Amino acid sequence: MKILVIGGSGIIGWNLLEFFKGKNLEVKFTFKTNQTINNDGYFLDITNKKETIETITKINPNIVIHSAALTNVDLCESDKNLANQINVIGTDNIVKACQKIKSKIVYISTSFVFSESDKLHTEKDIPFKPKTNYGATKLKGEELVLESELKSLILRIDQPYFWKQPYQHTNSVLRVMDALSKKQELREITNWYNMPTYIPDFVTATYELIKNHHTGIFHLTGPDFISRFNWALKTAEIFGLDSKLLIPINSSQLNLNVQRENINLDNKKILKETGIEMRGIKEGLSDMLKEKNESSN
């Protein structure tokens, strides 16, 4: 089995690569801005249809994991053309390549495909009119995958966190740790709620789904529906940092292009079908601290 990870230099793709290599799987990757991992990746701009189809068909993988996306919610709102080029047209180009070689596609999606409601969304619920352009473009990507008639997995995540490589984007946990370790005050939002995804659990779950030939939609989020402020408090507690430096604010004070929606996903399906339990923030943060302590010894 040959696996191709699109966006292999990002934090999600890189961790998938490292895990798969540890399982002695044949795995290749593409990158756009960071050529990493022994410089053996393939440059790929997924918005270029010809280049995308040629690259993927040349590698000829059995499975393509599509983890490349424009995830900056405000940028997706202010530059809708760029968001469409990457998240929609780019996905369509990958789908067309997969159709040509009849490979399975694994599409990394987001909780933002739903609209905010009091409902706990399961994988059976049909997303409808997400209010952010980011969510709308990712939903269109899901639709392209489902309409392709390819064997597919759609994996929805929310606020993924873990240690990162120097060239990768930061995440909520590392941002809090960085500020508090420098004794800097940090404003955190009380009215944004997420279900943070611990990346090692996401990677393990993805591997099990692929290994056992699953298809369909899975919510690979953690179980905690928590505000950014309370998540930051827990981060400070686990890592022994000064929580008094955290300043609670409302998102309305930030004057952002678009307000985030609070989406609550049911993640019981992955446990039922694979036996893997997605860990909450206390367990995930404690695991990060353990890894940090072990690496420093």
Side-chain angles (χ1 to χ4, degrees):
M1 178 170 61
K2 182 190 293 185
I3 299 173
L4 172 63
V5 179
I6 307 292
S9 62
I11 191 169
I12 293 290
W14 187 87
N15 278 279
L16 286 168
L17 281 169
E18 290 298 289
F19 189 88
F20 291 157
K21 287 180 177 181
K23 297 294 182 180
N24 294 317
L25 294 173
E26 184 179 3
V27 57
K28 306 292 184 181
F29 75 99
T30 71
F31 66 93
K32 175 69 185 303
T33 55
N34 293 300
Q35 185 173 6
T36 61
I37 315 167
N38 300 323
N39 296 324
D40 59 351
Y42 296 80
F43 173 83
L44 178 61
D45 177 359
I46 62 173
T47 67
N48 185 315
K49 180 178 179 180
K50 182 175 182 290
E51 179 183 311
T52 300
I53 292 176
E54 287 180 351
T55 299
I56 294 175
T57 54
K58 177 184 177 181
I59 298 170
N60 195 29
N62 306 104
I63 297 173
V64 172
I65 300 178
H66 176 17
S67 68
L70 183 64
T71 59
N72 184 313
V73 177
D74 295 298
L75 181 56
C76 284
E77 207 69 28
S78 62
D79 195 340
K80 294 184 177 179
N81 179 63
L82 180 64
N84 185 70
Q85 285 288 322
I86 296 172
N87 294 347
V88 180
I89 293 174
T91 298
D92 189 44
N93 292 338
I94 292 168
V95 165
K96 284 182 167 60
C98 291
Q99 288 174 319
K100 189 170 183 179
I101 59 176
K102 296 180 172 56
S103 67
K104 183 176 183 177
I105 183 169
V106 180
Y107 178 69
I108 313 303
S109 191
T110 172
S111 61
F112 271 51
V113 297
F114 289 102
S115 293
E116 182 174 341
S117 71
D118 295 330
K119 181 179 177 59
L120 180 65
H121 293 288
T122 73
E123 289 86 347
K124 293 180 180 179
D125 294 329
I126 299 174
F128 183 71
K129 291 186 177 180
K131 291 184 175 63
T132 66
N133 189 54
Y134 168 62
T137 59
K138 291 298 290 183
L139 177 56
K140 181 59 179 177
E142 286 192 9
E143 292 168 349
L144 289 168
V145 170
L146 293 172
E147 292 165 1
S148 70
E149 300 184 353
L150 292 164
K151 290 182 180 179
S152 66
L153 279 167
I154 292 174
L155 309 179
R156 294 179 181 142
I157 62 177
D158 187 10
Q159 287 296 308
Y161 68 100
F162 191 47
W163 301 113
K164 74 176 188 71
Q165 300 301 307
Y167 51 83
Q168 292 167 348
H169 294 302
T170 192
N171 54 69
S172 290
V173 167
L174 299 185
R175 183 171 50 81
V176 169
M177 290 176 59
D178 182 61
L180 300 191
S181 65
K182 295 175 181 175
K183 309 299 182 184
Q184 297 173 348
E185 288 188 345
L186 180 67
R187 299 191 302 168
E188 275 295 346
I189 302 167
T190 58
N191 63 321
W192 283 359
Y193 282 73
N194 294 101
M195 302 191 73
T197 297
Y198 187 46
I199 292 175
D201 290 348
F202 167 81
V203 169
T204 302
T206 302
Y207 170 73
E208 288 297 323
L209 290 169
I210 289 173
K211 182 180 73 173
N212 294 301
H213 309 290
H214 285 275
T215 57
I217 300 172
F218 287 84
H219 293 164
L220 300 189
T221 64
D224 299 316
F225 190 54
I226 189 168
S227 73
R228 295 287 182 92
F229 180 72
N230 286 333
W231 186 12
L233 286 176
K234 182 58 69 173
T235 301
E237 176 190 331
I238 295 294
F239 283 91
L241 299 167
D242 186 1
S243 62
K244 294 184 180 65
L245 293 168
L246 295 169
I247 311 300
I249 65 167
N250 188 283
S251 62
S252 61
Q253 298 173 240
L254 299 178
N255 297 316
L256 298 171
N257 290 326
V258 60
Q259 287 298 312
R260 276 49 166 180
E261 298 189 88
N262 297 324
I263 312 298
N264 198 345
L265 298 185
D266 186 304
N267 71 349
K268 295 184 180 67
K269 181 180 177 182
I270 187 65
L271 176 62
K272 181 179 178 181
E273 298 204 15
T274 68
I276 293 173
E277 186 170 6
M278 304 293 289
R279 282 173 284 185
I281 57 166
K282 180 179 179 181
E283 294 80 11
L285 292 169
S286 297
D287 194 59
M288 286 181 67
L289 178 60
K290 179 182 176 182
E291 181 170 314
K292 178 184 178 182
N293 290 337
E294 288 175 350
S295 64
S296 62
N297 290 335

